[in-house]
Amino acid sequence: MSAGQPARQATAFAPASAGNAAVGFDILGFALAGAGDTVSVRRIEAPEVRIAAIRGTPFQLPLEAERNTAGVALMAMREALALPYGFEVEIDKGIALGSGMGGSAASCVGALVAANALLDAPLTRQALYPFALAGEAVASGGRHGDNLGPMLLGGLVLATAERLVRIPVPETWHSLLVHPEAVLETRRAREALAGSYELKEFVAQSSNLALVLAGCYAGDAALVRAGLRDVLVEPRRAPLIAGFDAAKAAALDGGAMGASISGAGPSVFAWFESREAAEAAAPAVQAAFARAGFDSQAWVAPIDSPGAHLL
């Protein structure tokens, strides 16, 4: 490759993430170091997007680009930038599907970050966000960025329809995420939210979101403890997750600032003021799921974990 020419192939790692972060349904999430998808993208002459392979899943995901989150994201990029060339994609899944850890979003973001490195003029992470939203909609049925934002920027991110805002979090604060070996499809979890809501529920949730954001900016754990409670969505989804109540109680008994469902579930997350506290609480949370009949995996990582990056 001569100087000044773009690379022909790139590989990116996109981390798992916990969407909603209890108080920010569809708009707040944080990255989780330690698990993620690896996506390789090759620039090809043909003006199209191809999914060449998907590995690491117990069942076959769609290889048709228009039915795949990574494929649709790259199709959106090609169209918006009027690219005369295309991309061929290979995906190695490292996030269990239906786990509430952003598995569909990770493939989408990994593909975009890798493909971005192959552009003649690479874009900012913010500029990749609309393409990621298009891809995520294939899996979830909606354009929401609570998983995409932290994967693109890292850390805790507020993701509105058009903007990503990284929220500062003390580096000592850590998350514990426990994934029981069960599957809860996002669409089923969203169906549980149908029905009417009272205005006072929205006021309470807005208050909690404000307390958490203020606590993060100020590094004030007491504010986060006061606000990290989901009064809107969790009560409607918790019955779908066997062992959830006991797992949450175990995290809180272990000193968590708060605990709730990760994304659509069934994974559970909790925030702690130190890595040591998070690690100490993990066995009890896993034991709660074991009593419900599920083996589980646990990850402890800084809430301010890094986002997607090139390998």
Side-chain angles (χ1 to χ4, degrees), residues 124-248:
T124 65
R125 293 294 176 93
Q126 291 271 0
L128 296 178
Y129 182 43
F131 312 141
L133 286 171
E136 173 70 351
V138 176
S140 66
R143 293 172 62 91
H144 49 85
D146 53 330
N147 288 117
L148 302 169
M151 291 177 184
L152 283 167
L153 301 188
L156 178 67
V157 175
L158 178 66
T160 69
E162 298 177 347
R163 186 170 298 182
L164 299 177
V165 181
R166 185 164 178 169
I167 309 299
V169 179
E171 62 181 21
T172 56
W173 290 4
H174 279 65
S175 67
L176 164 66
L177 189 139
V178 175
H179 167 52
E181 300 297 333
V183 174
L184 178 56
E185 293 183 356
T186 300
R187 292 179 188 271
R188 181 181 171 219
R190 294 184 86 83
E191 289 170 359
L193 304 183
S196 60
Y197 294 77
E198 294 187 30
L199 182 60
K200 65 181 181 181
E201 292 179 293
F202 286 101
V203 173
Q205 191 81 337
S206 297
S207 299
N208 288 344
L209 173 60
L211 284 168
V212 169
L213 294 179
C216 288
Y217 272 98
D220 188 333
L223 289 179
V224 173
R225 285 181 184 278
L228 196 57
R229 292 177 291 114
D230 179 3
V231 300
L232 200 61
V233 175
E234 181 187 301
R236 293 162 174 83
R237 282 182 169 170
L240 302 177
I241 304 171
F244 170 76
D245 290 338
K248 177 181 177 179

Side-chain angles (χ1 to χ4, degrees), residues 14-19 30 32-37 94-106 147 151 177-180 186 262-268 297-299:
S17 64
F30 59 94
L32 178 75
D37 286 0
I95 302 172
L97 298 174
S99 63
M101 295 170 63
S104 59
N147 288 117
M151 291 177 184
L177 189 139
V178 175
H179 167 52
T186 300
S262 175
S267 297
V268 172
Q297 288 181 280
W299 293 268

